[in-house]
Amino acid sequence: MDNHRLEVFKYIFLFVVGIILVVVLYRFDPASSNIFPPCPFHKLTGFYCPGCGSLRAINRLLHGRFLEALGLNPLMIITLPFLVYGLVAQFCYSVFSYKIAMPFIKAVWIWGMLSIIILYWVARNIDVYPFNTLRP
Amino acid sequence: MYCRDCGTENEANTCKCVNCGKVMVPIVDTCQKGDWQKVPSRLIPAILATLFCCMPFGIVAIVYAAQANGKLTGGNYQGAMEDRKKATMWCWIAFGLGLIPAIYWAALFFYGFFGTTVGQFDGQSPIGSF
C-alpha cells in the first residue's frame, strides 16, 4: 500500500472515530455520566484549563442549547466553526484532493491567538465577577 | 522544493512527492498567493489539542506552528519545515497524554461495569468531567 492510500485510510479512520465520538457525546451528558474521563489538569491542580467544559459544551450544542454551551466554554464555541472549517478543508484535500480556500495565517495572528488562550486560562481561574463567568 | 504534506525535499518541478506520492505544489508560489492549503500548518490540531486534551503541550505546538508560519513569510522554508515537524510532535504528545487518563478511566469504568457495581453506567461522576 502506498503512502497516499495510507493517508486516505488514516483520514477516513479519524472521520469514523469523530462520528462515533459525536454520537456518544449526543447520547451521554458528560456532566451526569461517568463514561467520560475527568480533565487530568483540573483533577491534579484544581485549576480550570482552557479546555475544561468542552465536552459538556458540545453535548449542549448537539442538543441545540447554544447559550448553555456558550456558558460552559465560550472560547471553544467561538473557535469551533473555524476548527471545523479547517478540518473539513484538510479532509477534502487529503481524501478527495479537492481544494477548499484557506487563508494563510500570519505568525502575528497565531501569537495573538496564543495570548488569548493564555489570558483565557488565567481569567477562568480568577474568582471575581466578570472573570468567573468564563468557568464551566 | 519541499512537499507540503510530509516535508520531504524534492527536486524542482517534481510532479509527485518521492516520499508520499502527493501532488507537489511549489511552496514559493503558494506563499505569494497566500493559499494555506499549499503551505504546511499544524495550527488546527494544535488548537484542538489545547481546547480538548486540556494539556499544556498543545500550547507548545501552537508556538511552533506560529514560528513555522513566521519563517515561511520570511522565506525560510527549511526552518519552517523543521518547526512544523516539532509542532506535529507536540500535537502527538498532547493527544497521547490526553489519552492516558482516558484509557485509565475506561479501565476503571469496565472494571466497575463488569466487576462489582453494574448500575454505575449513567451514575454521577465523582470528580466531574471535561
Side-chain angles (χ1 to χ4, degrees):
Chain A
M1 201 188 319
D2 61 273
N3 275 328
H4 179 65
R5 267 231 177 119
L6 198 69
E7 180 92 352
V8 170
F9 274 108
K10 188 180 85 184
Y11 275 96
I12 290 174
F13 174 75
L14 288 176
F15 180 72
V16 172
V17 169
I19 294 289
I20 292 171
L21 279 177
V22 165
V23 170
V24 170
L25 262 175
Y26 180 80
R27 171 65 186 81
F28 298 102
D29 177 7
S32 58
S33 159
N34 60 4
I35 67 165
F36 297 99
C39 172
F41 181 80
H42 183 62
K43 213 195 152 193
L44 286 173
T45 63
F47 291 112
Y48 294 104
C49 78
C52 281
S54 290
L55 290 184
R56 275 168 283 168
I58 287 186
N59 172 273
R60 301 301 187 283
L61 204 61
L62 290 171
H63 286 274
R65 299 204 292 271
F66 182 74
L67 287 178
E68 247 179 272
L70 207 61
L72 281 162
N73 194 338
L75 184 68
M76 193 277 294
I77 295 294
I78 294 165
T79 322
L80 201 61
F82 302 102
L83 287 176
V84 169
Y85 183 86
L87 287 174
V88 167
Q90 183 67 51
F91 184 82
C92 288
Y93 180 75
S94 300
V95 177
F96 308 112
S97 297
Y98 179 78
K99 287 187 186 118
I100 296 178
M102 281 290 282
F104 175 73
I105 299 166
K106 281 186 184 163
V108 193
W109 287 91
I110 306 179
W111 290 119
M113 269 184 247
L114 186 63
S115 358
I116 290 172
I117 290 174
I118 289 170
L119 284 176
Y120 178 70
W121 193 350
V122 174
R124 296 190 106 185
N125 289 296
I126 302 173
D127 198 6
V128 184
Y129 165 64
F131 302 117
N132 55 18
T133 49
L134 295 171
R135 316 187 144 186
Chain B
M1 61 203 265
Y2 298 94
C3 172
R4 64 137 234 126
D5 225 79
C6 65
T8 309
E9 189 170 4
N10 284 262
E11 279 176 41
N13 303 322
T14 317
C15 186
K16 282 183 176 178
C17 174
V18 287
N19 180 48
C20 67
K22 277 267 175 69
V23 176
M24 291 290 291
V25 184
I27 286 174
V28 186
D29 274 359
T30 335
C31 288
Q32 285 157 358
K33 281 177 198 157
D35 185 352
W36 172 85
Q37 282 200 313
K38 299 163 194 165
V39 178
S41 176
R42 275 292 175 265
L43 185 61
I44 291 166
I47 290 179
L48 269 180
T50 311
L51 291 183
F52 287 90
C53 279
C54 63
M55 275 289 167
F57 303 105
I59 303 258
V60 185
I62 299 179
V63 168
Y64 278 118
Q67 285 186 348
N69 279 17
K71 284 179 183 169
L72 270 176
T73 318
N76 179 1
Y77 307 114
Q78 183 72 55
M81 284 303 173
E82 278 163 15
D83 280 345
R84 179 177 177 271
K85 276 184 183 160
K86 282 179 195 153
T88 313
M89 186 187 79
W90 283 103
C91 282
W92 282 115
I93 291 175
F95 280 120
L97 286 174
L99 265 181
I100 291 170
I103 290 166
Y104 174 70
W105 194 253
L108 274 187
F109 170 68
F110 280 110
Y111 177 74
F113 194 63
F114 295 114
T116 46
T117 43
V118 177
Q120 223 185 1
F121 197 55
D122 232 330
Q124 185 72 39
S125 169
I127 8 188
S129 37
F130 272 109

